[in-house]
Amino acid sequence: RWTGPEDFIARFVAADRPALTEAMRTAVHGTPPGECTVRLELPEGRERWLYICGQRARDAQGKFRVLGL
C-alpha cells in the first residue's frame, strides 16, 4: 500500500536513496522516464537489487499519474 514517497524511499539502502529520489523526481516532473538500480532492504537483513523505472502519463480523466515498474 502506498503511504507516500518518504516511506517508500526509507525501505532502500541509505547509499542508494539519492539515486532513487532523483529518478522519482525525474518521473514526476518530466517526460523522460526516471530510472535507477537500487538495493531494497529486506526484513531479514538481506538486500535485493531492483531496477526501477517510472514515467509520467495522463490517466483517462486527464490527470497526471506516475507509472512505475
Side-chain angles (χ1 to χ4, degrees):
R1 191 179 82 176
W2 179 256
T3 57
E6 294 83 13
D7 290 339
F8 179 74
I9 291 168
R11 297 176 63 196
F12 291 83
V13 172
D16 296 345
R17 291 176 192 164
L20 178 58
T21 300
E22 184 58 31
M24 290 174 69
R25 186 175 292 120
T26 298
V28 168
H29 295 292
T31 53
E35 302 174 82
C36 63
T37 302
V38 291
R39 293 165 288 170
L40 177 68
E41 292 181 354
L42 300 175
E44 63 275 2
R46 295 184 305 131
E47 298 174 353
R48 175 159 296 146
W49 284 94
L50 297 175
Y51 168 74
I52 305 279
C53 180
Q55 188 167 17
R56 186 173 73 166
R58 289 191 187 269
D59 66 13
Q61 289 76 37
K63 293 183 179 183
F64 281 112
R65 305 284 186 211
V66 173
L67 307 172
L69 302 172

